[in-house]
Amino acid sequence: MSGEDPLGDALDGVAHLQAAGLELIAAARSFLDAAEATLADPDQARRAAAALAAVVGAYLEAQGRPGRGSRDDGAAGGGLRRVDIS
């Protein structure tokens, strides 16, 4: 970008945006292909869901919020509290 040719600079910017858009589309296609392959196999889909649940649980624990396996889901912090009915 030279700053001396506004039209040339604008066209250069549009070309960069077009290239970035095409890269984004290619990345989305790759992600969707991987997601489709994962969901086509029920065992692999279960493993992926379990891995995602583990990541979310670890994130919640790191944030100081009890995860799903905890018996006290935030009662001390004013959040929801798990109550066993049995």
Side-chain angles (χ1 to χ4, degrees):
M1 292 188 168
S2 65
E4 297 175 12
D5 180 16
L7 180 59
D9 290 345
L11 291 175
D12 189 40
V14 169
H16 283 290
L17 287 174
Q18 183 181 19
L22 292 172
E23 285 293 322
L24 180 62
I25 291 169
R29 273 193 190 114
S30 294
F31 178 78
L32 290 174
D33 288 344
E36 182 179 25
T38 299
L39 295 175
D41 179 5
D43 289 333
Q44 189 173 359
R46 276 191 283 280
R47 287 191 302 271
L52 180 60
V55 168
V56 170
Y59 171 78
L60 290 174
E61 292 293 329
Q63 296 298 313
R65 293 183 276 186
R68 184 174 181 198
S70 173
R71 300 309 301 159
D72 180 12
D73 289 340
L80 297 176
R81 190 173 100 210
R82 184 180 307 259
V83 178
D84 289 325
I85 305 232
S86 54

